[in-house]
Amino acid sequence: MQITVIGAGAWGTALAIAASRQPHAHRVVLHARDAAQAQAMQQMRRNERYLPGIDLPAALTITSGPLDALLPSARAEDLFIIATPMAGLRSTLQALQGVPASVAWLCKGFEAGTGLMPHEVQAQVAPQLHAGALNGPSFAQEVARTQPTALVAASPHASVREALVQAFHGSALRVYANDDIVGVEVGGAVKNVLAIATGLCDGLDLGLNARAALITRGLAEMTRLGVALGAKAETFMGLSGLGDLVLTATGDLSRNRQVGLLLAKGLSLEQAVTSLGHVAEGVYSARTVHQRASQLGVDMPITEAVVALLDGRLKAFDAVQVLMGRGPRGEAV
């Protein structure tokens, strides 16, 4: 098997490193869009921009240039990993639409403008692909440092799930298979929005009681939306639901949590995003999550408050007051 990771950001690089360290004979290629970045990584054997201080395995091949050059040699047993942000998924899938290999994406969210989940984008532009998602609670730095991590390989195709397990499952990285791609993708999208809310809660010093309540009620929101979209409720109690939500909402390596913390300090959204230097997907997906929920009549008050905050219609403390001022109701999802 050849494993080609398209996108040399932190997460793509971390997974390429993880695959290269597996005790098998797979060939691993990390493809960077920027030729200068690829040359620097090749010379230094590090990705100092996104994963500073972490060495690239000698077995990892670095490439750049048009994707077309990678496609003619692709075989059915190979695997392509799309490690672009959500905004790059559609064009990358279009480029890969003719390959016989399995394809999986790492991005989480709903596409801006269309409100589509990744698998829905794929159904539009490359329906013949055998494809899926690799998701779960994971910070790139920890995966690259071989710290224990568990992920979910989600696809309606058993061959894709098996390829992802074969490529990445090992002593430090466990990969569990799941055929509920809707549930896995909803969890991956909504947790980023909820992490902004939790960062705001912590930044305002509202306490651990408030954080626990916010995460728990956020999980209820996530589950309501997922079930309305056709997911299995039990998926949200797994790695891509509760697991990813807890990590992203409480871990200081979470960029979405950092956005909430910075907004609580009084920074504007533009200042908060600029100071991160990396993409915080929740900022871009919050509106589309809310839009999709509204179309389905799904109540998501935390998400609605985050959107109002990002749009400048609510101040940080006012968003908390809006949530706490809601009338009493039963706890059931």
Side-chain angles (χ1 to χ4, degrees):
M1 176 195 292
Q2 175 166 305
I3 303 162
T4 303
V5 180
I6 301 170
W11 193 209
T13 303
L15 273 181
I17 290 172
S20 298
R21 288 173 175 164
Q22 297 290 76
H24 48 46
H26 299 329
R27 179 170 183 255
V28 184
V29 175
L30 177 60
H31 185 79
R33 181 182 60 180
D34 185 343
Q37 183 195 8
Q39 184 177 16
M41 286 192 293
Q42 191 70 267
Q43 291 174 347
M44 300 174 63
R45 299 309 298 175
R46 285 186 176 183
N47 186 344
E48 287 296 339
R49 180 176 178 184
Y50 292 105
L51 284 177
I54 298 175
D55 293 334
L56 302 178
L60 176 60
T61 300
I62 311 296
T63 65
S64 65
L67 283 178
D68 295 351
L70 302 175
L71 308 184
S73 60
R75 305 165 300 171
E77 62 266 31
D78 292 339
L79 174 65
F80 283 88
I81 301 292
I82 301 174
T84 68
M86 188 68 195
L89 177 64
R90 181 177 289 267
S91 60
T92 308
L93 283 170
Q94 287 171 335
L96 295 177
Q97 61 182 318
V99 300
S102 294
V103 175
W105 44 82
L106 309 180
C107 50
K108 303 173 182 179
F110 289 68
E111 187 180 45
T114 67
L116 298 178
M117 290 179 282
H119 78 275
E120 293 172 320
V121 175
Q122 180 251 319
Q124 272 194 356
V125 302
Q128 72 281 11
L129 284 180
H130 280 204
L134 188 63
N135 209 327
S138 48
F139 288 138
Q141 293 92 328
E142 295 190 3
V143 170
R145 293 182 181 125
T146 326
Q147 293 178 266
T149 302
L151 300 175
V152 179
S155 174
H157 304 286
S159 60
V160 176
R161 300 193 298 268
E162 291 164 5
L164 288 167
V165 171
Q166 184 184 2
F168 297 108
H169 190 91
S171 59
L173 183 60
R174 294 189 60 81
V175 181
Y176 294 83
N178 192 328
D179 63 0
D180 182 15
I181 194 167
V182 176
V184 168
E185 290 193 338
V186 170
V190 178
K191 59 93 181 180
N192 285 330
V193 182
L194 299 173
I196 295 174
T198 311
L200 181 72
C201 170
D202 289 346
L204 292 172
D205 261 342
L206 299 183
L208 298 178
N209 292 351
R211 179 202 280 183
L214 187 58
I215 290 174
T216 307
R217 295 312 302 162
L219 180 62
E221 283 193 17
M222 177 191 293
T223 305
R224 283 197 297 270
L225 178 61
V227 169
L229 287 166
K232 301 173 184 176
E234 57 266 28
T235 298
F236 299 99
M237 295 308 295
L239 289 165
S240 61
L242 178 60
D244 211 357
L245 174 58
V246 169
L247 179 75
T248 311
T250 64
D252 285 335
L253 290 174
S254 163
R255 295 190 291 271
N256 294 286
R257 170 177 165 78
Q258 289 298 325
V259 169
L261 290 169
L262 293 170
L263 292 175
K265 290 180 179 179
L267 272 69
S268 69
L269 177 59
E270 183 180 0
Q271 290 170 328
V273 171
T274 300
S275 71
L276 291 176
H278 299 279
V279 175
E281 288 284 7
V283 172
Y284 306 103
S285 63
R287 296 174 187 86
T288 47
V289 169
H290 183 245
Q291 175 189 7
R292 198 76 186 261
S294 298
Q295 291 169 349
L296 294 166
V298 175
D299 187 31
M300 298 187 73
I302 300 172
T303 300
E304 186 175 352
V306 169
V307 171
L309 178 68
L310 297 177
D311 285 347
R313 291 181 282 113
L314 279 180
K315 299 295 184 184
F317 190 74
D318 294 334
V320 177
Q321 296 299 103
V322 167
L323 292 171
M324 293 304 293
R326 284 165 52 86
R329 62 200 63 220
E331 189 190 19
V333 171

